[in-house]
Amino acid sequence: MSSVPVDPVTLAVLKGRLEQIADEMDATLYRSAFNPIIAEARDACHGLYHATTGDTLVQGTKGLPVFVGAMAFAVKAVIDKVARDGGLEPGDTFIFNDPYDGGTHLNDFRLVRPIFRDGALFCWLASVGHWLDIGGNVPGGYNPKATESFQEGVRIPPVKLVEAGRMRGDVVDILAANSRVPMSNWGDLNGQLNALDLGERRLRELLDAYGDGVIASAFEAFSERAEALMRAAIRALPDGTYAFEDVLDNDGIVDEPLTIALDLTVDGDTMSLDFSRSSGACQGPINISYATTVAACYVALKHLFTEVPANAGCLRPIRFTVTDGSILGARAPKPVAGYTETILRLIGVVFGALAQADPTRATAAPFGTINALSLAGHRADGSRWVMFSFFGGGLGGNPESDGLNHANNPISTATIPPAEILEASYPVMFTQWALRPDSAGPGAHRGGLGATYEIEVLSPGGAEVSLLGERGKVAPFGVAGGGPAALNRFAWQTAEGWETAPMVSKITNVRLQAGQRVRLDTPGGGGFGNPLARSRGDIERDLRLGYVSGEAARTLYGWAGVTTGAAA
């Protein structure tokens, strides 16, 4: 399509209009999805993608940032399928969840739709959302004992769900037959289709108003602007190579740490991220694909360079080196259900490496685990229920402030599902939901506090429990002299008392009876700066609010004005 000059004012208007289209798609799915992980936690994303490359053109402001990089690979997977098989026509919509071909893990279902103008492909619309259950050994999909993807759920390659405007019932039947809660997935699927319908209407209205050439030129300008801003941000860093590494507790199968190592090189206005020193692929479910690695790096850089727009242009100055078949470049059928734990560690090492290049951007480690908890059982009428949720913790201290208390992880803009929604949806009761004292890493700017959650099973038949978490052995690190945060802790009730997991942060095959509870004590964030430099006023405030005990104020912050007796 021939280029059409677009003035800056029109570009600004179009940027807002196009982002609004993606935002409306997000809102449509959030309001219509059946499962709380989409409806409340907003584990979803929508955007517009390049016709031939699949590159991200526009993403909404409400969708998960981690999907920006991954969705470009997802759309490219559909483009490659069409190139092999042909048969693309208006009214088609593809569906798939393959984590090795543009995906993240099996629960994240992608819908990709071509947009034609005058018989030619103009761009793609895409939707992704986390479905509640897709089969596998463990309800909810987060199987901490999986050694291959077949134990995590059903794997769907890119196939046509809608062909020339007609839903393919055979595909829907396959999806329904491979879930414990097919009606939940059916509701989420229709929500995603409705979001695509709305996005297509809004985009066609915009194209009719401004012309295809103007919108195509705007897409190109947005990507060029993102690239220019990212190059400027990199250019402001001192040239050099900066190394950082961190570890995962274990893979749920072998109780040995796994390393995520980064050598980050700044050279003028380009940057290379070399993960060659990272561990090889592991037996358990914390491997990730190359696409997921790139997406996680994008999220880390977006946190540090906030002015850069969310499209593919920002990745043009970045070169990635990931060993094929490693923990960060896994191939099928290596299990990947716990991808969130690995990308959190990956984001942390990007933070750590860039902190060496520019201390003014240094941020201590966040709590670094989503604590993917599944409770599942049967209601009195015999119907299945599956509750999946993730939980909050503390973010790291930084040069300007303490870390946030009870926040979500920096992989997304998702929210922690409210206790009221979970209690209304499932036969459970939260008996505790509170900040966890002394969980923050000490520092001149301390980390944010983690939280304590205690959940009682109400279902007469009890519940099956599984957890896939991290930070049970190696705490979130501090920077610039700050200290580490508290470790992650998980326990459950039995007739003999409370028990803990041999792998600390990963467990399955646990059965609770009605009235028994599970308990999570999540980590805080690491501290920034020397704890002895923390102001007296800040320490007194923390004591007054119960964030820090008297003993911690005395031993960690060296404050002689507090005694053990006074703390009691």
Side-chain angles (χ1 to χ4, degrees), residues 493-517:
Q493 269 186 322
T494 69
E496 290 74 34
W498 288 88
E499 292 191 12
T500 57
M503 291 284 183
V504 182
S505 54
K506 301 173 182 69
I507 192 69
T508 189
N509 296 326
V510 167
R511 187 79 194 179
L512 294 185
Q513 302 302 315
Q516 292 180 334
R517 302 174 182 179

Side-chain angles (χ1 to χ4, degrees), residues 364 397-399 402 441-447 478-484 526-536 538-539 555-559:
N398 60 74
D402 295 339
H445 292 154
R446 59 160 174 76
V479 296
F528 177 92
N530 187 346
L532 299 180
R534 188 164 179 80
S535 73
R536 181 185 181 94
D538 286 339
I539 297 172
T555 58
L556 298 178
Y557 293 97
W559 196 49

